[in-house]
Amino acid sequence: MSVRKLQSYFTSATSLAALAERAAYLSELQRLWEKLAPPPLTQMCKISGLQDRVLVLYANNGAIAAKARQLAPTLLKKKKKRGFEVTSILVRVQAGF
């Protein structure tokens, strides 16, 4: 099945359209994360979700999580400048994602 057919299927049903919109938003957040964060961090951290303006970020290990927490205020400012409504970043360790 082609990507266009799949996208048209997702947008045809209301509930699937909302899901597709959320997935697109999270993909956009991930791309922005990869642009704003230092390269070693982008390889070791992934966006997990966004809930009540809190961005959840999974880090591969504790050291990377600590570095991500240090950079969180700077990254928040950059995300706000680009129009994303994120008020805080929650970093969790999830080995082997």
Side-chain angles (χ1 to χ4, degrees):
M1 181 179 280
S2 73
V3 174
R4 288 185 183 173
K5 286 183 181 179
L6 190 58
Q7 286 176 341
S8 67
Y9 177 73
F10 281 139
T11 56
S12 65
T14 307
S15 59
L16 289 177
L19 180 63
E21 184 179 324
R22 179 136 174 101
Y25 185 71
L26 288 175
S27 292
E28 190 175 348
L29 281 174
Q30 181 66 37
R31 282 191 300 276
L32 182 60
W33 164 253
E34 291 168 0
K35 287 180 185 178
L36 299 179
L41 221 57
T42 61
Q43 296 168 0
M44 303 294 282
C45 294
K46 299 292 179 208
I47 301 294
S48 169
L50 182 68
Q51 185 176 28
D52 298 327
R53 296 185 189 181
V54 176
L55 182 68
V56 180
L57 185 67
Y58 282 155
N60 206 7
N61 61 53
I64 296 297
K67 188 62 178 174
R69 287 183 189 107
Q70 283 180 330
L71 292 174
T74 303
L75 294 169
L76 278 174
K77 287 179 187 175
K78 289 180 179 180
K79 285 187 183 288
K80 285 182 182 179
K81 284 182 182 178
R82 296 195 182 213
F84 287 92
E85 295 183 25
V86 178
T87 57
S88 64
I89 298 176
L90 175 64
V91 182
R92 295 185 175 160
V93 176
Q94 179 69 43
F97 55 80

